[in-house]
Amino acid sequence: MDTIFTPKDPEQLRREMSLAGLDIDLYGQAGTKSIDELFAETQNGECRLAWGGYTNILYRRVEVVRMDVYCDRHRLVEVEQRFSDGRKRHRILEASLAEKMKPGETQEEAVIRLIQEEAPVFSEDCCSVPAYKRSIEEQKTSGSYPGLATRYVFHDYDWFLVGVNTSDDITVKEPDKEVLYRWITVVP
């Protein structure tokens, strides 16, 4: 049985991660997130930490809504994140858009929040209702948190748009970063 670990402060999180054998000096460097950002995720409910598995490892559990965005024969992909502190993070994700779910949030509420936060550049007249595709669970190491195993529960959707210019890149400004998206041709 897994044991949930909720750190009281970033220092307790640092100690626990060191006990787990994670190199915390890698955090907040070269496109990775900091210990403080992981602590914030645990406090706002975007993730849970637990000790568990066959070898009793420390892992992160995240529930995510992912959405592939299509227009004509193009798919939107996130290319890069540019943080306000100057860091850049190059990305080619499995889905066009993704957002961690919040505690108590339904998939439908998370999809609406995802569109509002990550895709505000699309007007309502070009949009259809996102279609549910599937839910899957997988475990892998997160690129955001080096060495920390992460168990993801993904809820996947497709979103089809019409009348969108697919020749231009799209930049979405968020409070702490800018996100660059590009349309790529999808082979039928």
Side-chain angles (χ1 to χ4, degrees), residues 2 6 17 20-21 55 69 77 83 103 105 132 139 147-148 157 177:
D2 295 351
T6 306
M17 292 176 73
T55 57
V69 181
V77 295
F83 294 90
E105 188 173 47
Y132 175 75
Q139 181 170 319
L148 182 60
Y157 288 77
K177 65 187 171 202

Side-chain angles (χ1 to χ4, degrees), residues 113-131:
R113 185 171 56 81
L114 171 65
I115 292 168
Q116 291 170 343
E117 292 178 7
E118 305 286 329
V121 296
F122 301 120
S123 65
E124 289 184 22
D125 59 345
C126 72
C127 303
S128 63
V129 174

Side-chain angles (χ1 to χ4, degrees), residues 33-181:
K33 291 186 177 181
S34 69
I35 300 283
D36 290 339
E37 288 172 298
L38 178 57
F39 176 73
E41 282 188 16
T42 66
Q43 300 307 296
N44 67 23
E46 287 184 346
C47 81
R48 292 173 40 183
L49 296 174
W51 285 96
Y54 297 115
T55 57
N56 198 34
I57 62 167
L58 181 65
Y59 70 90
R60 174 175 161 253
R61 186 177 193 289
V62 182
E63 201 161 348
V64 178
V65 170
R66 298 188 300 191
M67 189 178 317
D68 282 319
V69 181
Y70 298 96
C71 185
D72 297 323
R73 287 191 270 168
H74 295 87
R75 180 174 166 265
L76 190 67
V77 295
E78 181 179 330
V79 178
E80 183 178 70
Q81 295 178 344
R82 300 174 188 141
F83 294 90
S84 55
D85 64 6
R87 288 181 294 140
K88 287 185 179 182
R89 187 171 168 199
H90 298 282
R91 300 171 43 111
I92 299 293
L93 302 176
E94 294 176 30
S96 302
L97 307 170
E99 188 68 49
K100 293 183 283 289
M101 292 180 65
K102 295 187 176 199
E105 188 173 47
T106 66
Q107 290 179 39
E108 292 76 18
E109 291 166 337
V111 164
I112 291 168
R113 185 171 56 81
L114 171 65
I115 292 168
Q116 291 170 343
E117 292 178 7
E118 305 286 329
V121 296
F122 301 120
S123 65
E124 289 184 22
D125 59 345
C126 72
C127 303
S128 63
V129 174
Y132 175 75
K133 197 165 35 176
R134 68 176 175 261
S135 291
I136 58 172
E137 190 167 339
E138 58 185 66
Q139 181 170 319
K140 56 187 173 181
T141 300
S142 167
S144 297
Y145 301 112
L148 182 60
T150 302
R151 292 182 186 169
Y152 293 95
V153 177
F154 294 114
H155 305 290
D156 293 339
Y157 288 77
D158 285 333
W159 193 27
F160 298 93
L161 309 178
V162 293
V164 173
N165 181 354
T166 57
S167 61
D168 292 338
D169 289 348
I170 298 168
T171 300
V172 176
K173 294 182 188 312
E174 297 181 14
D176 63 334
K177 65 187 171 202
E178 287 185 348
V179 182
L180 176 68
Y181 295 94

